[in-house]
Amino acid sequence: MRKLNLRQLILLLSVSTAVLILANTFYTSHKTQRDLLIAQTLEANQAYASKMANSIEDFLSAAQQQLAFAAQDVLLAGNNLEKLGHIANRLNEQTDSFNSVFIVDTSGVVIAASPEAVGLFGKVVMSEGAEQALRERIPLVSKPYVSVTGRLLVFISQPIIDAQDNYLGFIGGSIYLHEKSILYSLLGRHYHANDAYIYAVDSGGRIIYHQDAERIGEVIVGNPVIEKVVKQQTGSQYLLNSHGIEMLAGYAPVPSTNWGVVTQRSLEATLSGMDQQMLAVAKYSFPFFIFIVWLVWLVSRWISKPLWQLARSAEELDEPDINTQISSISVWYFEASQLKRAMLRGLAGLNKKMGKLNLENITDPLTGLINRRGMQIALDEWERQEQPFSVIVADIDHFKRINDEFGHDVGDRVLQTLAQHMQAASRPDDLVCRSGGEEFVILLPQTETAVAHRVAERLRKRIAESICPNVNRPVTLSLGVASWPCGSASIAQVLKNADIALYAAKDAGRNQVQASQTACE
């Protein structure tokens, strides 16, 4: 198979780089715009929900004030039914606050009502709102309930109390939830009418306003946004609605009633138009991309000759006269000159770099500790020299929980932090190794078991008292200690004894040190 020449390789590499950069630019731009649109929509929905919640709060406060003022008029009217009826009519007709108004005496009898068509004048009202008002005798906003007229409504009431603090009944107004009411006037339709909507719920998750009137009165279960807003929380989040549609929701509570207002817009609607925008960007970027390809092709021919010569020389680095060959290459621009100098310097430092490469092969890239291969090399050398040593095997307790709860990135930072503590707590001649996963090994030359046990205990306390990044609970170690030589046991058996001691520490409750109980015979 014919290989690419240097000019073709430069062209291919440059074009590939340009394509990758262009693709990355589009991806980054798309993701950035997507995240920005989502963040802006969440913020706007939360702000809109808060505004509507404040409007409802202000309305309820104003409605209570209207009822309180009317209650004083009721006291002045005494038992004059005509005046009482006029008060009820005025309260009902002067604003859109209520669908109906009632004045009720202490026995629950309606002594005035507006409109009169509700047909409750002179009757004892048995609704939840009326009974609650008669029972508690304080200003109230009821939960939604079905009235004696069969309507789903909310009842706002104000007690009537004379100058001698005698309770004379109450005056109240109803808001019909399935009919045109003040909630419709306050909430109306969201400004993205076709793609988003706003709804309100009571403290039990029952819908008290929705642009789809058929859903009013429905109790929503399992919706995380509703669960938060009925707990009087304010915020925004992504969720799947009851139809499986991705939504961006903002929510805010109405403190005085424990109601909540939710504003939602579909993710699809939020991101609509972005793809067309990206296509427009691509359309205008393509001619520039073609120009770049042509320019790279032209330049590749221009620079190929000296680079081709250097590349040929790179293939013959084992030749005895390679330094002379490289030195004789004529380079006429800075990059080629630097490459020529780098190749000459590279030849001089090749052995040094090979040594560094060997070091990298025995080093764990995550923690910077000696890896299992390097540990085995050290153990083989100590065995050859008959060097006594103790070994500490350490394992992070419940490390899987850390990865599962906080993610593998946090788990990696925990491993790095523990590695730093181990290196800081070790002596210059000690070897700190990562044998795999969350398990570490510390080799202590010329150290007895008792001394190693104390070292392990100090390390255990140091880790338990330290704070690992992004983990909101202590991270602890279980450790096992063993020593070599141990009778006729091999080094592999001693390492196994340390592992057995480690598992004994875990079985005993973790976060402790156990020394090997295996007898050395």
Side-chain angles (χ1 to χ4, degrees), residues 161-194:
I161 301 175
D162 64 14
Q164 290 75 39
D165 287 334
N166 294 317
Y167 179 72
L168 304 180
F170 69 84
I171 182 171
S174 300
I175 300 175
Y176 299 160
L177 299 181
H178 275 111
E179 302 175 25
K180 185 177 180 181
S181 66
I182 189 63
L183 287 180
Y184 277 81
S185 299
L186 286 173
L187 300 176
R189 291 178 65 85
H190 192 38
Y191 51 88
H192 295 293
N194 295 326

mmCIF file of all heavy atoms in Angstrom, residues 161-194:
data_model
loop_
_atom_site.group_PDB
_atom_site.id
_atom_site.type_symbol
_atom_site.label_atom_id
_atom_site.label_comp_id
_atom_site.label_asym_id
_atom_site.label_seq_id
_atom_site.Cartn_x
_atom_site.Cartn_y
_atom_site.Cartn_z
ATOM 1 N N ILE A 161 -67.637 41.368 63.780
ATOM 2 C CA ILE A 161 -67.507 41.491 65.231
ATOM 3 C C ILE A 161 -67.831 42.916 65.624
ATOM 4 O O ILE A 161 -67.312 43.872 65.048
ATOM 5 C CB ILE A 161 -66.077 41.119 65.682
ATOM 6 C CG1 ILE A 161 -65.744 39.682 65.271
ATOM 7 C CG2 ILE A 161 -65.917 41.295 67.179
ATOM 8 C CD1 ILE A 161 -64.333 39.259 65.570
ATOM 9 N N ASP A 162 -68.744 43.085 66.608
ATOM 10 C CA ASP A 162 -69.161 44.434 67.012
ATOM 11 C C ASP A 162 -68.158 45.037 67.989
ATOM 12 O O ASP A 162 -67.113 44.425 68.307
ATOM 13 C CB ASP A 162 -70.574 44.414 67.597
ATOM 14 C CG ASP A 162 -70.658 43.605 68.887
ATOM 15 O OD1 ASP A 162 -69.591 43.295 69.468
ATOM 16 O OD2 ASP A 162 -71.789 43.264 69.300
ATOM 17 N N ALA A 163 -68.457 46.222 68.459
ATOM 18 C CA ALA A 163 -67.538 46.946 69.340
ATOM 19 C C ALA A 163 -67.323 46.243 70.664
ATOM 20 O O ALA A 163 -66.328 46.481 71.353
ATOM 21 C CB ALA A 163 -68.060 48.372 69.577
ATOM 22 N N GLN A 164 -68.267 45.400 71.067
ATOM 23 C CA GLN A 164 -68.129 44.657 72.322
ATOM 24 C C GLN A 164 -67.498 43.281 72.113
ATOM 25 O O GLN A 164 -67.567 42.413 73.003
ATOM 26 C CB GLN A 164 -69.515 44.490 72.986
ATOM 27 C CG GLN A 164 -70.097 45.778 73.550
ATOM 28 C CD GLN A 164 -70.614 46.696 72.460
ATOM 29 O OE1 GLN A 164 -71.210 46.212 71.486
ATOM 30 N NE2 GLN A 164 -70.384 48.002 72.624
ATOM 31 N N ASP A 165 -66.877 43.090 70.934
ATOM 32 C CA ASP A 165 -66.233 41.819 70.584
ATOM 33 C C ASP A 165 -67.223 40.664 70.515
ATOM 34 O O ASP A 165 -66.846 39.499 70.721
ATOM 35 C CB ASP A 165 -65.114 41.460 71.568
ATOM 36 C CG ASP A 165 -63.891 42.336 71.372
ATOM 37 O OD1 ASP A 165 -63.704 42.834 70.246
ATOM 38 O OD2 ASP A 165 -63.125 42.516 72.332
ATOM 39 N N ASN A 166 -68.452 40.945 70.200
ATOM 40 C CA ASN A 166 -69.444 39.889 70.009
ATOM 41 C C ASN A 166 -69.394 39.423 68.550
ATOM 42 O O ASN A 166 -69.382 40.234 67.622
ATOM 43 C CB ASN A 166 -70.841 40.399 70.333
ATOM 44 C CG ASN A 166 -70.981 40.739 71.809
ATOM 45 O OD1 ASN A 166 -70.519 39.992 72.670
ATOM 46 N ND2 ASN A 166 -71.594 41.882 72.096
ATOM 47 N N TYR A 167 -69.357 38.122 68.332
ATOM 48 C CA TYR A 167 -69.321 37.547 67.000
ATOM 49 C C TYR A 167 -70.728 37.495 66.432
ATOM 50 O O TYR A 167 -71.635 36.900 67.044
ATOM 51 C CB TYR A 167 -68.713 36.142 67.049
ATOM 52 C CG TYR A 167 -68.658 35.464 65.706
ATOM 53 C CD1 TYR A 167 -67.758 35.888 64.735
ATOM 54 C CD2 TYR A 167 -69.506 34.401 65.403
ATOM 55 C CE1 TYR A 167 -67.699 35.270 63.493
ATOM 56 C CE2 TYR A 167 -69.456 33.773 64.171
ATOM 57 C CZ TYR A 167 -68.547 34.219 63.218
ATOM 58 O OH TYR A 167 -68.498 33.593 62.005
ATOM 59 N N LEU A 168 -70.955 38.132 65.285
ATOM 60 C CA LEU A 168 -72.288 38.249 64.711
ATOM 61 C C LEU A 168 -72.435 37.446 63.404
ATOM 62 O O LEU A 168 -73.488 37.484 62.785
ATOM 63 C CB LEU A 168 -72.612 39.717 64.425
ATOM 64 C CG LEU A 168 -72.507 40.683 65.627
ATOM 65 C CD1 LEU A 168 -72.854 42.091 65.195
ATOM 66 C CD2 LEU A 168 -73.407 40.221 66.767
ATOM 67 N N GLY A 169 -71.394 36.742 63.001
ATOM 68 C CA GLY A 169 -71.445 35.985 61.746
ATOM 69 C C GLY A 169 -70.255 36.340 60.873
ATOM 70 O O GLY A 169 -69.205 36.754 61.379
ATOM 71 N N PHE A 170 -70.427 36.220 59.578
ATOM 72 C CA PHE A 170 -69.318 36.535 58.678
ATOM 73 C C PHE A 170 -69.861 37.013 57.343
ATOM 74 O O PHE A 170 -71.019 36.791 56.993
ATOM 75 C CB PHE A 170 -68.391 35.338 58.485
ATOM 76 C CG PHE A 170 -69.006 34.196 57.713
ATOM 77 C CD1 PHE A 170 -69.017 34.180 56.324
ATOM 78 C CD2 PHE A 170 -69.597 33.135 58.393
ATOM 79 C CE1 PHE A 170 -69.576 33.133 55.623
ATOM 80 C CE2 PHE A 170 -70.158 32.080 57.690
ATOM 81 C CZ PHE A 170 -70.153 32.074 56.309
ATOM 82 N N ILE A 171 -68.984 37.685 56.601
ATOM 83 C CA ILE A 171 -69.264 38.057 55.224
ATOM 84 C C ILE A 171 -68.185 37.417 54.368
ATOM 85 O O ILE A 171 -67.009 37.418 54.728
ATOM 86 C CB ILE A 171 -69.291 39.591 55.042
ATOM 87 C CG1 ILE A 171 -69.638 39.939 53.582
ATOM 88 C CG2 ILE A 171 -67.989 40.236 55.463
ATOM 89 C CD1 ILE A 171 -69.907 41.430 53.377
ATOM 90 N N GLY A 172 -68.571 36.801 53.270
ATOM 91 C CA GLY A 172 -67.594 36.073 52.467
ATOM 92 C C GLY A 172 -67.903 36.141 50.994
ATOM 93 O O GLY A 172 -69.034 36.412 50.575
ATOM 94 N N GLY A 173 -66.867 35.873 50.198
ATOM 95 C CA GLY A 173 -67.007 35.865 48.757
ATOM 96 C C GLY A 173 -66.473 34.574 48.167
ATOM 97 O O GLY A 173 -65.478 34.020 48.640
ATOM 98 N N SER A 174 -67.123 34.087 47.124
ATOM 99 C CA SER A 174 -66.728 32.849 46.464
ATOM 100 C C SER A 174 -66.037 33.157 45.146
ATOM 101 O O SER A 174 -66.415 34.095 44.441
ATOM 102 C CB SER A 174 -67.955 31.968 46.190
ATOM 103 O OG SER A 174 -68.615 31.647 47.395
ATOM 104 N N ILE A 175 -65.013 32.333 44.826
ATOM 105 C CA ILE A 175 -64.344 32.392 43.521
ATOM 106 C C ILE A 175 -64.577 31.046 42.852
ATOM 107 O O ILE A 175 -64.109 30.019 43.328
ATOM 108 C CB ILE A 175 -62.843 32.673 43.675
ATOM 109 C CG1 ILE A 175 -62.616 34.012 44.377
ATOM 110 C CG2 ILE A 175 -62.163 32.657 42.320
ATOM 111 C CD1 ILE A 175 -61.153 34.303 44.662
ATOM 112 N N TYR A 176 -65.352 31.058 41.750
ATOM 113 C CA TYR A 176 -65.658 29.800 41.047
ATOM 114 C C TYR A 176 -64.457 29.410 40.182
ATOM 115 O O TYR A 176 -64.002 30.188 39.328
ATOM 116 C CB TYR A 176 -66.889 29.975 40.158
ATOM 117 C CG TYR A 176 -68.151 30.340 40.923
ATOM 118 C CD1 TYR A 176 -69.225 30.938 40.269
ATOM 119 C CD2 TYR A 176 -68.264 30.092 42.293
ATOM 120 C CE1 TYR A 176 -70.388 31.275 40.955
ATOM 121 C CE2 TYR A 176 -69.417 30.418 42.988
ATOM 122 C CZ TYR A 176 -70.476 31.013 42.313
ATOM 123 O OH TYR A 176 -71.623 31.336 42.991
ATOM 124 N N LEU A 177 -63.974 28.211 40.396
ATOM 125 C CA LEU A 177 -62.755 27.779 39.717
ATOM 126 C C LEU A 177 -63.010 27.297 38.296
ATOM 127 O O LEU A 177 -62.104 27.313 37.464
ATOM 128 C CB LEU A 177 -62.050 26.690 40.529
ATOM 129 C CG LEU A 177 -61.609 27.113 41.930
ATOM 130 C CD1 LEU A 177 -60.900 25.972 42.636
ATOM 131 C CD2 LEU A 177 -60.707 28.341 41.883
ATOM 132 N N HIS A 178 -64.209 26.794 38.011
ATOM 133 C CA HIS A 178 -64.502 26.290 36.670
ATOM 134 C C HIS A 178 -65.138 27.357 35.780
ATOM 135 O O HIS A 178 -65.458 27.093 34.624
ATOM 136 C CB HIS A 178 -65.435 25.076 36.738
ATOM 137 C CG HIS A 178 -64.702 23.787 36.967
ATOM 138 N ND1 HIS A 178 -64.797 23.081 38.137
ATOM 139 C CD2 HIS A 178 -63.847 23.100 36.171
ATOM 140 C CE1 HIS A 178 -64.045 22.000 38.056
ATOM 141 N NE2 HIS A 178 -63.449 21.988 36.883
ATOM 142 N N GLU A 179 -65.347 28.549 36.310
ATOM 143 C CA GLU A 179 -65.987 29.609 35.555
ATOM 144 C C GLU A 179 -65.076 30.829 35.513
ATOM 145 O O GLU A 179 -64.041 30.867 36.181
ATOM 146 C CB GLU A 179 -67.339 29.962 36.189
ATOM 147 C CG GLU A 179 -68.290 28.771 36.276
ATOM 148 C CD GLU A 179 -69.565 29.105 37.008
ATOM 149 O OE1 GLU A 179 -69.930 30.291 37.030
ATOM 150 O OE2 GLU A 179 -70.195 28.185 37.558
ATOM 151 N N LYS A 180 -65.439 31.811 34.712
ATOM 152 C CA LYS A 180 -64.644 33.020 34.637
ATOM 153 C C LYS A 180 -64.572 33.656 36.015
ATOM 154 O O LYS A 180 -65.591 33.901 36.657
ATOM 155 C CB LYS A 180 -65.271 34.000 33.637
ATOM 156 C CG LYS A 180 -64.421 35.242 33.425
ATOM 157 C CD LYS A 180 -65.040 36.145 32.376
ATOM 158 C CE LYS A 180 -64.169 37.384 32.196
ATOM 159 N NZ LYS A 180 -64.732 38.309 31.194
ATOM 160 N N SER A 181 -63.339 33.882 36.465
ATOM 161 C CA SER A 181 -63.150 34.389 37.819
ATOM 162 C C SER A 181 -61.937 35.291 37.856
ATOM 163 O O SER A 181 -61.265 35.519 36.849
ATOM 164 C CB SER A 181 -62.954 33.220 38.797
ATOM 165 O OG SER A 181 -61.741 32.541 38.512
ATOM 166 N N ILE A 182 -61.631 35.764 39.065
ATOM 167 C CA ILE A 182 -60.499 36.664 39.235
ATOM 168 C C ILE A 182 -59.180 35.972 38.909
ATOM 169 O O ILE A 182 -58.227 36.592 38.440
ATOM 170 C CB ILE A 182 -60.487 37.228 40.677
ATOM 171 C CG1 ILE A 182 -59.438 38.332 40.805
ATOM 172 C CG2 ILE A 182 -60.238 36.119 41.677
ATOM 173 C CD1 ILE A 182 -59.699 39.535 39.954
ATOM 174 N N LEU A 183 -59.106 34.642 39.140
ATOM 175 C CA LEU A 183 -57.872 33.917 38.811
ATOM 176 C C LEU A 183 -57.593 33.975 37.319
ATOM 177 O O LEU A 183 -56.443 34.077 36.892
ATOM 178 C CB LEU A 183 -57.960 32.465 39.286
ATOM 179 C CG LEU A 183 -57.846 32.241 40.794
ATOM 180 C CD1 LEU A 183 -57.958 30.758 41.124
ATOM 181 C CD2 LEU A 183 -56.531 32.795 41.336
ATOM 182 N N TYR A 184 -58.678 33.885 36.492
ATOM 183 C CA TYR A 184 -58.494 33.994 35.047
ATOM 184 C C TYR A 184 -57.986 35.385 34.686
ATOM 185 O O TYR A 184 -57.147 35.548 33.803
ATOM 186 C CB TYR A 184 -59.804 33.718 34.322
ATOM 187 C CG TYR A 184 -60.069 32.253 34.119
ATOM 188 C CD1 TYR A 184 -60.602 31.481 35.153
ATOM 189 C CD2 TYR A 184 -59.776 31.635 32.919
ATOM 190 C CE1 TYR A 184 -60.838 30.128 34.973
ATOM 191 C CE2 TYR A 184 -60.010 30.275 32.727
ATOM 192 C CZ TYR A 184 -60.547 29.532 33.761
ATOM 193 O OH TYR A 184 -60.765 28.197 33.590
ATOM 194 N N SER A 185 -58.492 36.410 35.367
ATOM 195 C CA SER A 185 -58.074 37.779 35.071
ATOM 196 C C SER A 185 -56.627 38.013 35.500
ATOM 197 O O SER A 185 -55.874 38.702 34.821
ATOM 198 C CB SER A 185 -58.989 38.770 35.796
ATOM 199 O OG SER A 185 -60.327 38.612 35.370
ATOM 200 N N LEU A 186 -56.244 37.430 36.649
ATOM 201 C CA LEU A 186 -54.895 37.631 37.157
ATOM 202 C C LEU A 186 -53.863 36.858 36.351
ATOM 203 O O LEU A 186 -52.832 37.391 35.945
ATOM 204 C CB LEU A 186 -54.807 37.202 38.626
ATOM 205 C CG LEU A 186 -55.459 38.124 39.650
ATOM 206 C CD1 LEU A 186 -55.425 37.483 41.025
ATOM 207 C CD2 LEU A 186 -54.741 39.467 39.695
ATOM 208 N N LEU A 187 -54.150 35.572 36.134
ATOM 209 C CA LEU A 187 -53.155 34.701 35.507
ATOM 210 C C LEU A 187 -53.223 34.741 33.993
ATOM 211 O O LEU A 187 -52.199 34.712 33.309
ATOM 212 C CB LEU A 187 -53.330 33.263 36.008
ATOM 213 C CG LEU A 187 -53.174 33.099 37.531
ATOM 214 C CD1 LEU A 187 -53.468 31.666 37.930
ATOM 215 C CD2 LEU A 187 -51.775 33.477 37.960
ATOM 216 N N GLY A 188 -54.476 34.785 33.445
ATOM 217 C CA GLY A 188 -54.651 34.872 32.002
ATOM 218 C C GLY A 188 -53.892 33.787 31.276
ATOM 219 O O GLY A 188 -53.705 32.693 31.770
ATOM 220 N N ARG A 189 -53.389 34.101 30.116
ATOM 221 C CA ARG A 189 -52.584 33.152 29.337
ATOM 222 C C ARG A 189 -51.141 33.630 29.333
ATOM 223 O O ARG A 189 -50.861 34.813 29.268
ATOM 224 C CB ARG A 189 -53.110 33.055 27.905
ATOM 225 C CG ARG A 189 -54.464 32.379 27.826
ATOM 226 C CD ARG A 189 -54.982 32.348 26.398
ATOM 227 N NE ARG A 189 -54.146 31.529 25.533
ATOM 228 C CZ ARG A 189 -54.279 30.207 25.411
ATOM 229 N NH1 ARG A 189 -55.184 29.569 26.120
ATOM 230 N NH2 ARG A 189 -53.503 29.522 24.596
ATOM 231 N N HIS A 190 -50.256 32.664 29.413
ATOM 232 C CA HIS A 190 -48.835 32.968 29.435
ATOM 233 C C HIS A 190 -48.427 33.632 28.120
ATOM 234 O O HIS A 190 -49.052 33.430 27.090
ATOM 235 C CB HIS A 190 -48.069 31.649 29.625
ATOM 236 C CG HIS A 190 -46.621 31.833 29.937
ATOM 237 N ND1 HIS A 190 -46.145 32.831 30.742
ATOM 238 C CD2 HIS A 190 -45.533 31.112 29.557
ATOM 239 C CE1 HIS A 190 -44.834 32.722 30.829
ATOM 240 N NE2 HIS A 190 -44.432 31.696 30.119
ATOM 241 N N TYR A 191 -47.350 34.407 28.164
ATOM 242 C CA TYR A 191 -46.978 35.181 26.978
ATOM 243 C C TYR A 191 -46.517 34.306 25.819
ATOM 244 O O TYR A 191 -46.455 34.761 24.697
ATOM 245 C CB TYR A 191 -45.890 36.209 27.329
ATOM 246 C CG TYR A 191 -44.702 35.650 28.061
ATOM 247 C CD1 TYR A 191 -43.617 35.124 27.379
ATOM 248 C CD2 TYR A 191 -44.661 35.670 29.460
ATOM 249 C CE1 TYR A 191 -42.524 34.629 28.040
ATOM 250 C CE2 TYR A 191 -43.562 35.165 30.136
ATOM 251 C CZ TYR A 191 -42.488 34.655 29.428
ATOM 252 O OH TYR A 191 -41.406 34.162 30.108
ATOM 253 N N HIS A 192 -46.143 33.061 26.041
ATOM 254 C CA HIS A 192 -45.885 32.112 24.951
ATOM 255 C C HIS A 192 -47.127 31.226 24.840
ATOM 256 O O HIS A 192 -47.102 30.050 25.181
ATOM 257 C CB HIS A 192 -44.640 31.276 25.235
ATOM 258 C CG HIS A 192 -43.381 32.062 25.273
ATOM 259 N ND1 HIS A 192 -42.846 32.668 24.158
ATOM 260 C CD2 HIS A 192 -42.540 32.370 26.293
ATOM 261 C CE1 HIS A 192 -41.724 33.281 24.485
ATOM 262 N NE2 HIS A 192 -41.518 33.117 25.778
ATOM 263 N N ALA A 193 -48.201 31.777 24.372
ATOM 264 C CA ALA A 193 -49.507 31.144 24.517
ATOM 265 C C ALA A 193 -49.584 29.739 23.952
ATOM 266 O O ALA A 193 -50.215 28.876 24.543
ATOM 267 C CB ALA A 193 -50.573 32.036 23.855
ATOM 268 N N ASN A 194 -48.941 29.471 22.830
ATOM 269 C CA ASN A 194 -49.098 28.171 22.192
ATOM 270 C C ASN A 194 -48.128 27.119 22.706
ATOM 271 O O ASN A 194 -48.309 25.938 22.467
ATOM 272 C CB ASN A 194 -48.913 28.313 20.675
ATOM 273 C CG ASN A 194 -49.992 29.168 20.045
ATOM 274 O OD1 ASN A 194 -51.134 29.137 20.492
ATOM 275 N ND2 ASN A 194 -49.627 29.940 19.037
#
